[in-house]
Amino acid sequence: MPSIKVHKPGLCTTVQDIGRIGYQQFGIPVSGVMDEFAFTVANYLVESDKNNAVLEIPFLGPALEFDFDVTIAITGGEIQAKINNQDVKMWESINVKKGDNLSFGSLKSGMRAYLAFSAEIDVPVVMGSKSTLLKSKLGGFEGRQLKMGDIINFKNVKVLSKKNILDKKYLPTYSHNQNIRIVLGPQDDYFEESSIKTMLENKYQVTKDVDRMGMRLAGEVIKHKDKADIISDAAVFGSIQVPGNGQPIILLADRQTTGGYTKIATVIKADLPKLAQMLPNDTIQFSLVNIEEAQKEYREFYRILDEIKDSFVVKPRVYTEKQLYVSKKLFGNRRKK
């Protein structure tokens, strides 16, 4: 069976796809990739299904040995990658040969890189997903991060005959200071207008307490009208909870399914990839948009991904009538001879 051997695991490399959709009612977190844009583009570069499982690589990457030919793509935060000690580029398809060694350094910008394959990672599908939920030891490769000596099996392997390169106009930038757009709610009525103004007029710093579950921020205190607690209700990727200390927490991919703190606002879908790439000590400036604007940006997010996918499709050449006429004149008689 085609496989990859892990010589070095990296800091916390895991198998991820889009996540477990439809199981929050049973207390199962969605999990899945943190940066949907980088994840999806990686799969499009290797012409795989948009939800094909990948390796998510935070901070420091692994060293991997291939025992089969395959096409890969590396996207997300800027990371130095080498095949057999030769530098390779990100955001493009790369053909790997049997016996090749792929190694990574540490990230130079952003927080997470993604490694996609023109093959399927052969791990069990648990509740519709191959994603790893570390806290529950669920899914992925034995429910855990990769470790030295692991053998990862693959199936349905193909190798691309052409190279795909992402147009530079689509390349994201990972800044240490991000403008993050939000919509108010669902419990913004638990806060005075002055508190919402405080949140919008001040920058908040990402603390060292950031992981796949959530991101704690530090900054000006956001005061409640009365209390911080509510009867627990649903939490989504991007929910901004404000506990009693007035310091916001943004919930991320591995968040709990419900939460008992007031949620002052929610980060819009289009800006979630920005959050996924933010590091401790980075700063956030929140800006308010309405539902209609958020929905517009949601549609635009997926429109761009569709546009990127289409850019890798080889389109048949269309000839004009004049070109067909000239071709017939030049080559028609030759065929008769």
Side-chain angles (χ1 to χ4, degrees), residues 233-266:
D233 66 0
V236 302
F237 195 161
S239 288
I240 305 176
Q241 291 184 332
V242 184
N245 64 4
Q247 299 297 301
I249 304 169
I250 306 178
L251 303 184
L252 304 175
D254 286 355
R255 68 200 176 274
Q256 68 275 22
T257 57
T258 63
Y261 290 135
T262 46
K263 295 177 285 296
I264 191 171
T266 306

Side-chain angles (χ1 to χ4, degrees), residues 20 64 115 135 193 200 202 234 266 271 277 289 317 326:
R20 291 180 178 81
L64 310 168
L115 175 59
K135 293 181 184 297
E193 284 189 19
L200 296 173
N202 293 277
T266 306
D271 284 357
Q277 298 294 351
V289 297
R317 186 172 179 181
V326 171

Side-chain angles (χ1 to χ4, degrees), residues 15 53 120-126 129-132 139-142 151-155:
V15 176
E120 297 177 30
I121 300 175
D122 192 13
V123 295
V125 176
V126 180
S129 173
K130 295 180 180 181
S131 285
T132 311
F141 189 90
E142 299 179 0
I151 302 294
I152 308 169
N153 292 325
F154 287 78
K155 60 183 180 180

